[in-house]
């Protein structure tokens, strides 16, 4: 019976002495899930032949819906971000590209202008920051459409000696979103 | 904080009532009639028993293999985001899990046949809640860190594996002493499903690579699905105008738990075989069965492959249509390639089959005769004698889980103190813990029997830091024919 008493004592001791160290569940409210997301944004390509074919200097002017930033989950959670552009001009003429950010009423919220020298030109890289260290985030969150305009600042007859001469705009968006 | 994140963290951190399937202390603890639920061929010898309704068998078990509540919520002054990053996001593996089982007997009883006293019949109804969630590592990394600066990294969508259910089990078992050496048992089960969900056969990936045209390309290749039954009806009823949520929930549990929901069938098999006079081999196979989920079914799938390089305008073709909507076209194209679809098709889910086996060496008492005996259970062993005074041995447990079988090994020691008390101590090694020491008591005072079994006693020093803990208890009225 001594053994029984000992075993019973151990069991009861284990059960009765069970405890939970103090936990701080208030830390829940400090959890910050803020992934940095990256996605392709816009790709524009115009061969030189198309630029030369136009009767006016404007070789492209189009407005289209773009609701990536105004999607609820982005618009409500975006903390900061940047748009990264890469432009390449292998045509024989200088070009001006304008990218306008439009809100739902068609009002221009922001404009990004790029001037490209004729070939041979280096690739132009530009990063535009939005958020506390850059332009207002509202530009992005209120943008529902983009207007892309391209103007030929040179002639309409010359042809570049580069293989497959063309103008290309590449872009990505990188932004931090709060999921909490 | 958003509700979904709270739920996720609560489930992940083990704050919901989390439990598991393994019950090493109860298995082959033959003094307890509920051991017949783990082995219908167990050597149980009472004349009859009746469980106290709702109290005859309650089993709770929590298991978290990779992390504990303490790891995240200790009041240690560290930034919780750093703790989550180091201990969960970078610390957990896809095989780590949080699993849970609750079993509560509503009704339980058993009796020995008058005409066939070698037969023992047992029956009852119990409610079972079972859930398992594997750590979705790559999805967690994607949610926590994002895909930026992770060029070429494939986030594996197959890391999402989860399953859960609640059901009532109506069962009837027969335990037959075939010979002095062999006892066989079988239990038939009818499952009345209350709710169920599963997302266990996911494949695919999300990857960001260098684009062919643009700077980046985002690719989603997905074969994902989620099946559920019962939950949609509950959601609909709870969200109805003026719904009394408590009454709705009660009605839902009662209605669907008593054949108003899904239906399934299953069986348990088991045996006890005396290899040598003191050496006993036992084994059982539980929940060989299935459920047909046909009511309140709501299934979701996301299947297909799509790559996006953003809005593409390639002149002159892109502007040929002046009404072209590049953004909507892009969205439509992706949705067509990877459609998110919903249906209400009936599906069948197999029950998580379990296997137990044990080898036990009995000490003391009177071993069964070596040869065949032509006497029945009442005369084969004098009533005042005990089959053993103590015993030791080993047990094996396996359960079929979404990522394959899980196993646990247990060493145990049992001792009887007359007719009033039996104890069982165990050491179990499994994926949750290598220091799992358990202890169980079965106390009998006249016809009243009380048992309490607890695993992982060392964890009771600080439950918040435990990877697993369990508790089982029950109250029966029974007759051994000698009291």
């Amino acid at each position: 019976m001594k053994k029984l008493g000992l075993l019973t004592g151990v069991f009861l001791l284990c059960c009765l002495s069970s405890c939970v160290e103090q936990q701080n569940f208030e830390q829940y409210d400090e959890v910050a899930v803020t992934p940095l997301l990256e996605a392709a944004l816009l790709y524009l390509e115009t061969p030189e032949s198309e630029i030369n074919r136009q009767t006016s200097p404007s070789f492209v002017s189009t407005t289209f819906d773009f609701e990536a930033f105004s999607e609820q989950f982005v618009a409500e959670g975006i903390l900061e971000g940047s748009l990264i552009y890469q432009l390449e001009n292998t045509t024989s003429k200088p070009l001006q590209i304008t990218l306008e950010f439009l809100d739902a009423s068609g009002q221009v919220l922001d404009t990004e202008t790029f001037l490209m020298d004729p070939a041979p030109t280096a690739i132009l890289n530009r990063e535009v920051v939005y958020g506390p260290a850059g332009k207002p985030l509202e530009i992005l969150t209120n943008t529902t459409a983009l207007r892309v305009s391209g103007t030929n600042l040179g002639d309409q007859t010359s042809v570049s000696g580069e293989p497959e001469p063309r103008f290309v705009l590449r872009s990505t968006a990188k932004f931090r979103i709060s999921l909490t | 904080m958003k509700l979904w994140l709270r739920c996720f963290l609560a489930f992940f951190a083990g704050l919901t009532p989390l439990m598991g399937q393994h019950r090493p202390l109860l298995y082959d603890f033959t003094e307890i009639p509920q051991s017949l639920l783990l082995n219908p061929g167990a050597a149980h010898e009472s004349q009859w028993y009746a469980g106290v309704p709702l109290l005859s068998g309650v089993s709770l078990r929590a298991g978290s293999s990779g992390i504990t509540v303490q790891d995240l919520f200790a009041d240690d002054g560290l930034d919780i985001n750093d703790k989550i990053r180091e201990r969960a996001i970078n610390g957990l593996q896809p095989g780590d899990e949080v699993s849970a089982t609750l079993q509560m007997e509503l009704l339980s009883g058993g009796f020995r046949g008058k005409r066939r006293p070698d037969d023992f019949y047992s029956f009852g109804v119990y409610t079972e809640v079972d859930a398992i969630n594997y750590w979705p590592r790559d999805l967690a990394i994607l949610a926590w860190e994002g895909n930026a600066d992770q060029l070429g990294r494939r986030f594996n969508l197959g890391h999402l594996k989860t399953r859960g259910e609640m059901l009532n089990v109506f069962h009837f078992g027969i335990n037959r002493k075939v010979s002095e050496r062999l006892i066989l048992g079988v239990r038939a089960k009818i499952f009345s499903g209350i709710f169920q969900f599963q997302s266990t056969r996911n494949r695919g990936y999300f990857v960001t690579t260098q684009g062919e045209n643009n700077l980046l390309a985002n690719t989603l290749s997905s074969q994902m699905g989620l099946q559920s039954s019962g939950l949609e009806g509950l959601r609909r009823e709870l969200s109805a105008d003026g719904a009394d949520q408590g009454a709705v929930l009660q009605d839902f549990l009662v209605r669907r738990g008593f054949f108003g929901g899904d239906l399934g069938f299953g069986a348990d098999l088991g045996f006890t075989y005396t290899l040598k006079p003191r050496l006993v081999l036992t084994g059982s196979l539980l929940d060989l069965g299935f459920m047909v989920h046909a009511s309140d079914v709501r299934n979701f799938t996301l299947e297909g492959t799509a790559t996006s390089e953003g809005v593409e305008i390639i002149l002159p073709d892109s502007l040929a249509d002046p009404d072209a909507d590049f953004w909507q076209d892009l969205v439509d194209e992706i949705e067509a390639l990877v459609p998110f679809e919903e249906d209400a098709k009936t599906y069948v889910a197999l029950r998580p089959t379990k296997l137990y086996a044990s080898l036990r060496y009995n000490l003391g008492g009177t071993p069964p005769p070596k040869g065949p005996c032509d006497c029945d259970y009442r005369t084969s062993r004098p009533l005042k004698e005990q089959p053993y005074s103590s015993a030791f041995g080993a047990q094996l447990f396996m359960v079929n889980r979404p990522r394959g079988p899980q196993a646990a090994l247990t060493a145990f020691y049992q001792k009887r103190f007359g007719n009033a008390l039996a104890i069982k101590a165990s050491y179990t090694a499994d994926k949750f813990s290598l220091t799992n020491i358990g202890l169980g008591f079965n106390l009998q005072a006249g016809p009243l029997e009380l048992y309490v079994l607890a695993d992982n006693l060392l964890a009771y020093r600080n439950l918040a830091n435990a990877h697993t803990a369990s508790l089982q208890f029950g109250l029966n009225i029974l007759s051994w024919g000698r009291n």
Side-chain angles (χ1 to χ4, degrees):
Chain A
M1 288 307 286
K2 278 185 180 176
K3 288 179 184 174
L4 172 61
L6 181 65
L7 286 167
T8 306
V10 169
F11 185 81
L12 291 175
L13 192 66
C14 287
C15 291
L16 295 177
S17 68
S18 68
C19 60
V20 178
E21 258 182 41
Q22 172 116 16
Q23 307 295 305
N24 179 7
F25 294 109
E26 295 297 315
Q27 294 175 88
Y28 252 147
D29 297 328
E30 297 165 21
V31 173
V33 184
T34 56
L36 187 61
L37 305 175
E38 192 171 28
L41 187 68
L42 173 67
Y43 176 81
L44 173 68
E45 178 184 314
T46 308
E48 185 170 42
S49 58
E50 182 62 20
I51 297 172
N52 285 342
R53 197 176 64 81
Q54 302 298 320
T55 54
S56 69
S58 173
F59 61 90
V60 60
S61 179
T62 183
T63 304
F64 57 91
D65 290 343
F66 192 85
E67 296 172 352
F69 304 124
S70 57
E71 288 281 352
Q72 187 180 6
F73 122 91
V74 178
E76 289 181 357
I78 190 166
L79 301 173
E80 60 183 356
S82 62
L83 301 183
I84 298 159
Y85 302 96
Q86 184 183 80
L87 294 91
E88 184 179 5
N89 180 17
T90 54
T91 72
S92 60
K93 57 240 358 155
L95 302 174
Q96 176 179 299
I97 306 298
T98 304
L99 189 61
E100 293 169 290
F101 296 76
L102 311 177
D103 67 12
S105 64
Q107 191 175 348
V108 176
L109 300 172
D110 193 23
T111 302
E112 206 63 44
T113 303
F114 306 91
L115 285 170
M116 296 291 292
D117 291 331
T121 55
I123 290 175
L124 170 64
N125 290 304
R126 182 182 297 177
E127 180 171 3
V128 181
V129 176
Y130 296 83
K135 293 185 176 183
L137 277 172
E138 288 70 27
I139 293 172
L140 296 181
T141 57
N142 291 323
T143 293
T144 59
L146 295 177
R147 180 186 296 144
V148 183
S149 307
T151 305
N152 177 2
L153 303 179
D155 65 80
Q156 289 176 300
T157 54
S158 63
V159 177
S160 167
E162 298 287 326
E164 296 186 36
R166 59 182 181 163
F167 165 75
V168 173
L169 165 68
R170 304 180 181 93
S171 62
T172 63
K174 185 189 279 189
F175 43 94
R176 189 173 296 282
I177 286 189
S178 172
L179 299 180
T180 51
Chain B
M1 185 183 296
K2 290 182 179 174
L3 182 63
W4 69 265
L5 187 69
R6 281 184 180 274
C7 294
F8 172 77
L9 285 173
F11 185 65
F12 157 75
L15 301 179
T16 48
L18 303 176
M19 299 135 264
Q21 297 260 351
H22 188 202
R23 291 188 278 172
L25 283 167
L26 183 58
Y27 183 77
D28 209 32
F29 202 152
T30 55
E31 289 83 351
I32 304 170
Q34 277 73 19
S35 64
L36 288 165
L37 289 175
L38 301 187
N39 181 3
H44 179 69
E45 296 188 344
S46 74
Q47 291 289 333
W48 59 266
Y49 79 92
V52 176
L54 303 178
L55 289 176
S56 59
V58 178
S59 169
L60 307 168
R61 186 180 170 91
S64 168
S65 65
I67 199 165
T68 66
V69 173
Q70 168 107 351
D71 288 337
L72 296 181
F73 293 103
D75 199 2
D76 52 12
L78 298 175
D79 185 338
I80 190 170
N81 294 298
D82 292 338
K83 290 189 279 187
I84 291 174
R85 184 180 300 105
E86 289 170 17
R87 299 168 188 177
I89 304 295
N90 297 329
L92 293 174
Q93 298 301 313
D96 286 321
E97 68 172 66
V98 174
S99 57
T101 301
L102 160 69
Q103 204 176 86
M104 187 172 76
E105 286 190 332
L106 307 177
L107 187 69
S108 173
F111 59 94
R112 196 165 290 283
K114 281 189 176 177
R115 292 183 181 175
R116 301 200 60 156
D118 283 342
D119 287 0
F120 191 84
Y121 307 99
S122 57
F123 56 89
V125 185
Y126 63 84
T127 299
E128 183 173 310
V129 183
D130 182 44
I132 183 168
N133 182 50
Y134 286 94
W135 176 246
R137 188 188 66 182
D138 277 14
L139 295 170
I141 292 172
L142 187 59
W144 191 264
E145 296 179 354
N147 69 323
D149 307 320
Q150 305 258 18
L151 211 62
R153 176 172 187 168
R154 286 191 174 199
F155 293 94
N156 187 346
L157 307 181
H159 285 179
L160 178 64
K161 279 189 192 294
T162 186
R163 184 172 69 191
E165 63 189 329
M166 182 176 187
L167 70 160
N168 278 351
V169 181
F170 300 79
H171 61 88
F172 181 83
I174 301 174
N175 174 290
R176 173 168 294 176
K177 192 171 186 176
V178 177
S179 70
E180 281 307 309
R181 284 174 168 255
L182 179 64
I183 300 170
L184 294 177
V186 62
R187 182 175 305 284
K189 289 179 168 177
I190 301 174
F191 306 121
S192 181
I194 298 171
F195 70 78
Q196 199 265 1
F197 63 88
Q198 60 181 21
S199 180
T200 56
R201 293 179 181 174
N202 299 313
R203 285 183 294 139
Y205 59 87
F206 174 75
V207 65
T208 303
T209 54
Q210 193 167 357
E212 284 186 23
N213 292 327
N214 212 337
L215 295 171
L216 295 176
N218 303 106
T219 299
L220 176 67
S221 177
S222 168
Q223 288 85 46
M224 302 183 77
L226 169 69
Q227 296 170 307
S228 74
S229 73
L231 296 172
E232 173 60 15
L234 178 62
R235 186 198 64 78
R236 199 170 47 240
E237 290 173 28
L238 287 175
S239 59
D241 289 339
D244 178 345
Q245 306 227 327
V248 165
L249 193 60
Q250 187 177 0
D251 174 67
F252 172 80
L253 293 176
V254 172
R255 177 168 36 87
R256 290 186 64 89
F258 289 88
F259 304 108
D262 299 324
L263 199 60
F265 301 94
D268 299 344
L269 306 170
F271 72 92
T272 297
Y273 185 68
T274 304
L275 292 168
K276 291 182 178 177
R278 292 187 181 276
L279 192 61
V280 180
L281 176 71
T282 74
S284 67
L285 207 51
L286 309 179
D287 279 346
L288 287 164
F290 62 92
M291 286 276 287
V292 179
H293 297 281
S295 59
D296 279 335
V297 173
R298 196 172 184 195
N299 304 324
F300 304 92
T301 57
L302 184 68
E303 294 185 352
T305 300
T307 297
S308 170
E309 296 192 23
V311 172
E312 290 195 347
I313 303 174
I314 300 176
L315 301 179
D317 297 343
S318 295
L319 297 183
D321 177 7
D323 297 324
D325 186 340
F326 301 116
W327 173 252
Q328 195 56 49
D329 289 348
L330 176 66
V331 172
D332 291 345
E333 184 185 0
I334 292 172
E335 287 182 349
L337 290 169
V338 192
F340 181 71
E341 295 181 316
E342 187 180 332
D343 67 52
K345 291 178 185 168
T346 296
Y347 65 95
V348 175
L350 297 177
R351 298 279 298 141
T353 303
K354 280 125 335 206
L355 180 147
Y356 280 96
S358 78
L359 193 61
R360 188 180 76 223
Y361 190 81
N362 292 329
L363 300 168
T366 306
K370 293 177 182 175
C373 176
D374 59 357
C375 45
D376 70 27
Y377 79 105
R378 286 172 296 192
T379 55
S380 64
R381 181 184 302 127
L383 291 176
K384 288 184 181 177
E385 288 190 38
Q386 301 295 330
Y388 71 94
S389 60
S390 59
F392 65 90
Q395 293 173 190
L396 169 71
F397 169 76
M398 295 182 79
V399 59
N400 189 27
R401 288 301 204 182
R403 284 198 184 280
Q406 279 178 16
L409 273 174
T410 298
F412 67 89
Y413 176 77
Q414 278 177 263
K415 187 159 182 67
R416 274 182 166 176
F417 299 91
N419 290 330
L421 176 65
I423 63 161
K424 183 174 180 180
S426 67
Y427 165 78
T428 298
D430 59 17
K431 70 182 291 185
F432 297 104
S433 173
L434 295 175
T435 57
N436 182 346
I437 294 171
L439 196 59
F441 282 79
N442 179 59
L443 293 157
Q444 190 166 346
L448 206 60
E449 181 205 49
L450 168 72
Y451 67 91
V452 180
L453 316 168
D455 271 331
N456 207 15
L457 294 176
L458 298 178
Y460 280 62
R461 291 173 299 181
N462 179 13
L463 282 173
N465 201 30
H467 285 285
T468 179
S470 81
L471 182 67
Q472 297 157 79
F473 59 89
L475 200 57
N476 297 304
I477 297 168
L478 82 172
S479 166
W480 293 96
R482 57 174 178 257
N483 48 33

